[in-house]
Amino acid sequence: MGALYMGNKPLLHVDQRVSVVVEQLLRLLHHCGAPPTDVDLLHGPGTTMGDVLKGAEPRSTLFTGSQRVAERLAVELHGKVFLEDAGFDWKILGPDVRDLDYVAWQCDQDAYACTGQKCSAQSILFAHSNWVIAGLLDRITDLATSRKLSDLTVGPVLSWTTKSILDHTKRLLQIPGAKLLFGGKPLSGHSIPEVYGAVEPTAVFIPLEQALLPEHFGVVTTEVFGPFQVVTEWQDGQLPQVLDACERMSHHLTAAVVSNDINFVQHVLGNTVNGTTYVGIRARTTGAPQNHWFGPAGDPRGAGIGTPEAIRLVWSCHREIITDFGPVPPPSFLVQS
């Protein structure tokens, strides 16, 4: 819609597994009066869309999806691309504990609602020891383990298989001090094809010191696009290590700082760069209102979604038009210099 607002004719392609959804959106727009010629829709695999992009040479492309494809497109399209790609999104719980039930509920929603298939899903939780002592992890466990396939509070994972998610879980559990908080098992009693994932909501605890080691950091910060998160605990004096971890992550999309301590919040904000960051005791990573900027930071290719500023950035460009209609000076004024 942002492309249309700025007068473009977009060519739209989404993953072939869910392409039928966007087709129904276009049919709704046509029903509401949108001209059928305003948008072209291409069904099919991503390789087909890639071939079309090479031949069409579009003026601009907005890509939302995996980091691997995003980097390939940046090369093939000679940099004429905006990216709203992968995000390993973090949440920091500050030292001030309050509203425990609400914070636990929000953590469960951020990590596991929509079966965790949100680019802004809570990927890692940095919980201050005060929250752990207060029983936050037990509350999250109760909420997450109550999710079940029968009421669709958990469901199929489209981009990771059951085996790949469980293999990743096992790899994390090999880190010294790691432990399974909950999940780590396949869902039962279903007919979900093996090409998709079907696992219980899962959380793996990794000691902060181990998570920061170079040999572990890569796997700890691997985004699993499903009902999965990493949990770690930090104590007074360890905030610099937590902020170091946030800085070392490669894609800075969404973050949350759960605290009503304004000095703590300002310190974290001043040392992080995520494009969309929620702060306050109600801070979340998902369920965002649609009237604010949503996009990554720290990359000049980063796309914004949602605001007039974002739409202008991605779907328009700056033009400088200088008018000079006259009057024309007399001939005596036209001297060479």
Side-chain angles (χ1 to χ4, degrees), residues 94-246:
D96 50 317
V97 177
R98 53 177 293 174
D99 303 304
L100 186 68
D101 287 334
Y102 182 88
V103 172
W105 173 83
Q106 189 64 69
C107 286
D108 171 75
Q109 289 290 307
D110 285 344
Y112 304 118
C114 300
T115 315
Q117 294 173 101
K118 306 166 286 183
C119 57
S120 56
Q122 178 178 303
S123 303
I124 187 168
L125 177 66
F126 295 95
H128 190 277
S129 56
N130 292 347
W131 289 93
V132 177
I133 294 170
L136 177 80
L137 300 186
D138 294 332
R139 304 283 183 95
I140 296 175
T141 300
D142 291 341
L143 292 168
T145 55
S146 69
R147 292 179 174 271
K148 50 187 180 295
L149 192 58
S150 60
D151 62 6
L152 300 182
T153 49
V154 67
V157 177
L158 298 182
S159 56
W160 283 63
T161 65
T162 300
K163 183 179 184 303
S164 62
I165 296 174
L166 297 182
D167 285 348
H168 181 69
T169 303
K170 292 176 182 177
R171 187 179 176 191
L172 286 171
L173 290 173
Q174 293 173 356
I175 297 174
K179 61 182 178 181
L180 184 68
L181 294 180
F182 52 82
K185 300 176 182 178
L187 293 174
S188 59
H190 63 80
S191 58
I192 298 171
E194 291 185 1
V195 69
Y196 303 121
V199 298
E200 297 177 354
T202 300
V204 177
F205 181 89
I206 308 290
L208 180 62
E209 297 82 359
Q210 292 292 329
L212 291 173
L213 293 177
E215 59 266 34
H216 299 150
F217 191 76
V219 66
V220 168
T221 57
T222 295
E223 181 187 16
V224 177
F225 207 66
F228 185 93
Q229 68 171 322
V230 171
V231 177
T232 191
E233 178 181 354
W234 66 283
Q235 301 178 5
D236 292 340
Q238 290 186 309
L239 184 58
Q241 290 97 305
V242 173
L243 296 176
D244 174 63
C246 297

